[in-house]
Amino acid sequence: MKKEIVENQTLNSHMLFFDPLNKVAVIDRKGSEMPSIRYVDVKPGIRVYENGDTEFTFYAPDAKSVQVAGIGGFMGKTRYDMKKGEDGHWSVTVPGIHEGFHYHEYYVDGNRCINPDAPVGYGCFYPINYFEMPGDDSSFYLMRDVPHGDVRMELYRSSLTGRMKACWVYTPPGYEEHPEKQYPVLYIQHGVGENETGWIWQGKLNLIADNLLAEGKCKEMLIVMNSGYAFVEGEDPRFFPGDFDAELTKDCIPFIDKKYRVAPGKENRGIAGLSLGSAQAFLSGMKHPELFTHVGVFSGGFPITRPEYDYSEFFSDPERVNSTYKAFFISGGDQEGYCENTLPIVEKLQKAGANITGYHHEGYHCWDIWRYSLHAFLPLLF
C-alpha cells in the first residue's frame, strides 16, 4: 500500500461522542426470522445526584478490582475502590466532590482504562473521561433556549509543515441571514495535550458566547480555534510546539479573511489562549501589534520574559501599552498560584497606568478557570 495512503490524515481523524444516550443495540435472532434490533438501557458511568453525591459505575464482569480516581484539582488523586454487583457492574458513591469540571481515570486490575459509559473528551494527549459537578453560578455555560451560533470545521494548508490543518470557527446567530454584515475575529488557543476541539467540547465556548449575546453583554464576533501544533520533522521543540505563530499569521488568518466576512483592521482582531495557548497568544499578540489589539492570557501567568523573548522594556512604558492594545487581559485560578505570582505584576502595571485587566476565580489549572476567563474576557472585546 502506498505511503501517501497509509499516512493520509483522514485515517487518524476520529469523532468522540458528545451526547451518549446510555443505550446499546441488541440483535435478536429468533429461529429463521430476520434478525431484529432492539435498544436496551445500560447503566450510566456517572450519576450526579441533587445532594451532591457522585456515583461512578464501570462494567467489568471478569475483573478482580476496579477503582476510580481524579487526576488532581478539587477531586484529588485518591483512588476509590468500587464494589462489584451481581450484574457485573462495579460502583462507588463519592460524596462532597467540589463543583467544577473533573477529568478522572478508571483502573481495572491496576490498568488505566476508559469508561465507555461515561463522557469522554480529549485532554492530556489522550482520550479521558470527565464529568461535571455544576455549581450555583454554572448557568453561563449551560445550553439555554436562546439563538445559537454555528461551529464549522475548516481545513487549510500549512506552508510551514505542508500538512492540512483543522480549525473550528464559531459564527454568531444570524451570520447567514445578514450577508451585509462584517464581524471582528477572536483567535483562541488550547493548552498542552489538547487540540482545537477542546474549546467546544470541554470549554463550552459556543454556549458561553450564545448566552452572552442573548444577554446583550458582548459583541457579535467570529471565534477561530486552531490546533497549536506546528511540528516540523527533524526539529526538537521545547515548550513551544513549533512555529505556530508563522502558521497562524501566514496561513490561517489570510484563509479566514478570505472565506469569512471579516471586519477590516487590527482593531477588529484579538488573540487569546489557555496555558500553553496563552503563551502562544501572548507571543503572537506582542510580535504582531499590526494584527492584534486585544490579547487574553488565561492561566499563563504574565510571561513578559522567556528564553525566547524579553518584553520588559515595552511594559515599562504604560502609555505605549495603552496606545498599542485596546484590551490586555490576564487571568488565573486561585489554587494555581495566580494571587501569589501573577496578581502582584498586574497590580504594579495597573498602578503605573497600564490599561490591563486582571481576573481570578476559585479553581485549579482546569476548564473551570478557562470558562470563567472566557466569560469575563468576551465582553471586553471590540
mmCIF file of all heavy atoms in Angstrom, residues 220-242:
data_model
loop_
_atom_site.group_PDB
_atom_site.id
_atom_site.type_symbol
_atom_site.label_atom_id
_atom_site.label_comp_id
_atom_site.label_asym_id
_atom_site.label_seq_id
_atom_site.Cartn_x
_atom_site.Cartn_y
_atom_site.Cartn_z
ATOM 1 N N GLU A 220 -21.124 40.722 18.660
ATOM 2 C CA GLU A 220 -21.083 39.588 17.734
ATOM 3 C C GLU A 220 -19.677 39.476 17.165
ATOM 4 O O GLU A 220 -19.053 40.478 16.807
ATOM 5 C CB GLU A 220 -22.088 39.798 16.603
ATOM 6 C CG GLU A 220 -23.535 39.755 17.035
ATOM 7 C CD GLU A 220 -24.471 39.959 15.874
ATOM 8 O OE1 GLU A 220 -24.134 40.765 14.972
ATOM 9 O OE2 GLU A 220 -25.535 39.326 15.851
ATOM 10 N N MET A 221 -19.189 38.247 17.076
ATOM 11 C CA MET A 221 -17.833 38.039 16.566
ATOM 12 C C MET A 221 -17.684 36.623 16.029
ATOM 13 O O MET A 221 -18.467 35.725 16.343
ATOM 14 C CB MET A 221 -16.803 38.278 17.680
ATOM 15 C CG MET A 221 -16.832 37.246 18.791
ATOM 16 S SD MET A 221 -15.684 37.638 20.157
ATOM 17 C CE MET A 221 -16.681 38.847 21.063
ATOM 18 N N LEU A 222 -16.664 36.440 15.203
ATOM 19 C CA LEU A 222 -16.208 35.115 14.813
ATOM 20 C C LEU A 222 -15.150 34.694 15.817
ATOM 21 O O LEU A 222 -14.371 35.517 16.307
ATOM 22 C CB LEU A 222 -15.605 35.135 13.408
ATOM 23 C CG LEU A 222 -16.451 35.728 12.286
ATOM 24 C CD1 LEU A 222 -15.633 35.831 11.004
ATOM 25 C CD2 LEU A 222 -17.698 34.911 12.057
ATOM 26 N N ILE A 223 -15.110 33.395 16.139
ATOM 27 C CA ILE A 223 -14.083 32.885 17.043
ATOM 28 C C ILE A 223 -13.442 31.676 16.376
ATOM 29 O O ILE A 223 -14.133 30.713 16.013
ATOM 30 C CB ILE A 223 -14.659 32.492 18.417
ATOM 31 C CG1 ILE A 223 -15.431 33.665 19.032
ATOM 32 C CG2 ILE A 223 -13.530 32.062 19.344
ATOM 33 C CD1 ILE A 223 -16.069 33.352 20.375
ATOM 34 N N VAL A 224 -12.135 31.732 16.209
ATOM 35 C CA VAL A 224 -11.400 30.692 15.485
ATOM 36 C C VAL A 224 -10.540 29.910 16.462
ATOM 37 O O VAL A 224 -9.722 30.484 17.188
ATOM 38 C CB VAL A 224 -10.519 31.306 14.382
ATOM 39 C CG1 VAL A 224 -9.760 30.202 13.629
ATOM 40 C CG2 VAL A 224 -11.375 32.116 13.416
ATOM 41 N N MET A 225 -10.731 28.588 16.476
ATOM 42 C CA MET A 225 -9.984 27.688 17.354
ATOM 43 C C MET A 225 -9.044 26.834 16.511
ATOM 44 O O MET A 225 -9.493 26.068 15.666
ATOM 45 C CB MET A 225 -10.968 26.797 18.128
ATOM 46 C CG MET A 225 -11.874 27.574 19.069
ATOM 47 S SD MET A 225 -13.541 26.850 19.241
ATOM 48 C CE MET A 225 -14.382 27.566 17.822
ATOM 49 N N ASN A 226 -7.755 26.983 16.714
ATOM 50 C CA ASN A 226 -6.744 26.294 15.920
ATOM 51 C C ASN A 226 -6.068 25.189 16.694
ATOM 52 O O ASN A 226 -5.960 25.257 17.921
ATOM 53 C CB ASN A 226 -5.663 27.289 15.500
ATOM 54 C CG ASN A 226 -5.784 27.701 14.064
ATOM 55 O OD1 ASN A 226 -5.617 26.875 13.172
ATOM 56 N ND2 ASN A 226 -6.080 28.967 13.843
ATOM 57 N N SER A 227 -5.560 24.201 15.985
ATOM 58 C CA SER A 227 -4.588 23.288 16.581
ATOM 59 C C SER A 227 -3.258 24.015 16.666
ATOM 60 O O SER A 227 -2.758 24.533 15.665
ATOM 61 C CB SER A 227 -4.445 22.013 15.736
ATOM 62 O OG SER A 227 -3.348 21.249 16.195
ATOM 63 N N GLY A 228 -2.685 24.061 17.866
ATOM 64 C CA GLY A 228 -1.483 24.855 18.075
ATOM 65 C C GLY A 228 -0.182 24.143 17.796
ATOM 66 O O GLY A 228 0.887 24.681 18.097
ATOM 67 N N TYR A 229 -0.244 22.933 17.231
ATOM 68 C CA TYR A 229 0.977 22.175 16.977
ATOM 69 C C TYR A 229 1.468 22.427 15.556
ATOM 70 O O TYR A 229 0.713 22.284 14.597
ATOM 71 C CB TYR A 229 0.716 20.684 17.188
ATOM 72 C CG TYR A 229 0.104 20.386 18.540
ATOM 73 C CD1 TYR A 229 -1.182 19.844 18.649
ATOM 74 C CD2 TYR A 229 0.783 20.693 19.718
ATOM 75 C CE1 TYR A 229 -1.756 19.588 19.890
ATOM 76 C CE2 TYR A 229 0.214 20.450 20.960
ATOM 77 C CZ TYR A 229 -1.052 19.892 21.036
ATOM 78 O OH TYR A 229 -1.619 19.659 22.264
ATOM 79 N N ALA A 230 2.730 22.796 15.439
ATOM 80 C CA ALA A 230 3.323 23.066 14.130
ATOM 81 C C ALA A 230 4.668 22.349 14.043
ATOM 82 O O ALA A 230 5.695 22.941 13.721
ATOM 83 C CB ALA A 230 3.492 24.569 13.932
ATOM 84 N N PHE A 231 4.642 21.064 14.352
ATOM 85 C CA PHE A 231 5.875 20.278 14.373
ATOM 86 C C PHE A 231 6.423 20.088 12.963
ATOM 87 O O PHE A 231 5.686 19.773 12.028
ATOM 88 C CB PHE A 231 5.617 18.898 14.992
ATOM 89 C CG PHE A 231 5.167 18.958 16.428
ATOM 90 C CD1 PHE A 231 3.912 18.490 16.792
ATOM 91 C CD2 PHE A 231 5.983 19.490 17.403
ATOM 92 C CE1 PHE A 231 3.490 18.534 18.114
ATOM 93 C CE2 PHE A 231 5.571 19.546 18.726
ATOM 94 C CZ PHE A 231 4.321 19.068 19.087
ATOM 95 N N VAL A 232 7.725 20.260 12.833
ATOM 96 C CA VAL A 232 8.427 20.015 11.584
ATOM 97 C C VAL A 232 9.408 18.877 11.815
ATOM 98 O O VAL A 232 10.129 18.858 12.815
ATOM 99 C CB VAL A 232 9.183 21.279 11.110
ATOM 100 C CG1 VAL A 232 10.009 20.980 9.870
ATOM 101 C CG2 VAL A 232 8.199 22.404 10.833
ATOM 102 N N GLU A 233 9.419 17.935 10.903
ATOM 103 C CA GLU A 233 10.275 16.759 11.055
ATOM 104 C C GLU A 233 11.738 17.165 11.213
ATOM 105 O O GLU A 233 12.249 18.026 10.487
ATOM 106 C CB GLU A 233 10.122 15.843 9.830
ATOM 107 C CG GLU A 233 10.816 14.492 9.989
ATOM 108 C CD GLU A 233 10.506 13.533 8.854
ATOM 109 O OE1 GLU A 233 9.651 13.878 8.013
ATOM 110 O OE2 GLU A 233 11.120 12.448 8.822
ATOM 111 N N GLY A 234 12.384 16.565 12.205
ATOM 112 C CA GLY A 234 13.796 16.851 12.458
ATOM 113 C C GLY A 234 14.021 17.887 13.532
ATOM 114 O O GLY A 234 15.144 18.025 14.027
ATOM 115 N N GLU A 235 12.977 18.651 13.909
ATOM 116 C CA GLU A 235 13.117 19.634 14.975
ATOM 117 C C GLU A 235 13.061 18.956 16.345
ATOM 118 O O GLU A 235 12.543 17.845 16.486
ATOM 119 C CB GLU A 235 11.999 20.676 14.899
ATOM 120 C CG GLU A 235 12.140 21.677 13.773
ATOM 121 C CD GLU A 235 11.072 22.750 13.837
ATOM 122 O OE1 GLU A 235 10.018 22.504 14.461
ATOM 123 O OE2 GLU A 235 11.275 23.824 13.272
ATOM 124 N N ASP A 236 13.582 19.648 17.348
ATOM 125 C CA ASP A 236 13.486 19.200 18.729
ATOM 126 C C ASP A 236 12.836 20.319 19.539
ATOM 127 O O ASP A 236 13.512 21.027 20.290
ATOM 128 C CB ASP A 236 14.874 18.865 19.287
ATOM 129 C CG ASP A 236 14.792 18.336 20.720
ATOM 130 O OD1 ASP A 236 13.715 17.853 21.118
ATOM 131 O OD2 ASP A 236 15.815 18.420 21.436
ATOM 132 N N PRO A 237 11.512 20.502 19.373
ATOM 133 C CA PRO A 237 10.852 21.657 20.007
ATOM 134 C C PRO A 237 10.797 21.521 21.520
ATOM 135 O O PRO A 237 10.570 20.448 22.065
ATOM 136 C CB PRO A 237 9.447 21.628 19.388
ATOM 137 C CG PRO A 237 9.235 20.198 19.002
ATOM 138 C CD PRO A 237 10.573 19.672 18.613
ATOM 139 N N ARG A 238 10.991 22.651 22.207
ATOM 140 C CA ARG A 238 10.905 22.714 23.661
ATOM 141 C C ARG A 238 9.910 23.815 24.031
ATOM 142 O O ARG A 238 10.045 24.951 23.579
ATOM 143 C CB ARG A 238 12.267 23.016 24.285
ATOM 144 C CG ARG A 238 13.356 22.000 23.931
ATOM 145 C CD ARG A 238 13.045 20.605 24.449
ATOM 146 N NE ARG A 238 13.999 19.612 24.003
ATOM 147 C CZ ARG A 238 15.050 19.222 24.731
ATOM 148 N NH1 ARG A 238 15.263 19.758 25.917
ATOM 149 N NH2 ARG A 238 15.869 18.307 24.262
ATOM 150 N N PHE A 239 8.933 23.465 24.818
ATOM 151 C CA PHE A 239 7.849 24.342 25.245
ATOM 152 C C PHE A 239 6.955 24.720 24.071
ATOM 153 O O PHE A 239 5.846 24.201 23.942
ATOM 154 C CB PHE A 239 8.350 25.595 25.969
ATOM 155 C CG PHE A 239 7.212 26.394 26.558
ATOM 156 C CD1 PHE A 239 6.558 25.946 27.689
ATOM 157 C CD2 PHE A 239 6.793 27.569 25.970
ATOM 158 C CE1 PHE A 239 5.485 26.654 28.228
ATOM 159 C CE2 PHE A 239 5.729 28.296 26.495
ATOM 160 C CZ PHE A 239 5.077 27.829 27.622
ATOM 161 N N PHE A 240 7.400 25.625 23.198
ATOM 162 C CA PHE A 240 6.580 25.971 22.043
ATOM 163 C C PHE A 240 6.640 24.824 21.028
ATOM 164 O O PHE A 240 7.722 24.437 20.590
ATOM 165 C CB PHE A 240 7.074 27.260 21.382
ATOM 166 C CG PHE A 240 6.720 28.505 22.148
ATOM 167 C CD1 PHE A 240 7.691 29.207 22.841
ATOM 168 C CD2 PHE A 240 5.419 28.968 22.182
ATOM 169 C CE1 PHE A 240 7.371 30.351 23.552
ATOM 170 C CE2 PHE A 240 5.083 30.113 22.889
ATOM 171 C CZ PHE A 240 6.057 30.810 23.578
ATOM 172 N N PRO A 241 5.468 24.276 20.641
ATOM 173 C CA PRO A 241 5.465 23.117 19.726
ATOM 174 C C PRO A 241 5.588 23.530 18.266
ATOM 175 O O PRO A 241 4.674 23.359 17.454
ATOM 176 C CB PRO A 241 4.098 22.475 20.013
ATOM 177 C CG PRO A 241 3.232 23.619 20.418
ATOM 178 C CD PRO A 241 4.120 24.592 21.144
ATOM 179 N N GLY A 242 6.730 24.058 17.910
ATOM 180 C CA GLY A 242 6.938 24.537 16.556
ATOM 181 C C GLY A 242 6.549 26.003 16.428
ATOM 182 O O GLY A 242 6.094 26.640 17.378
#
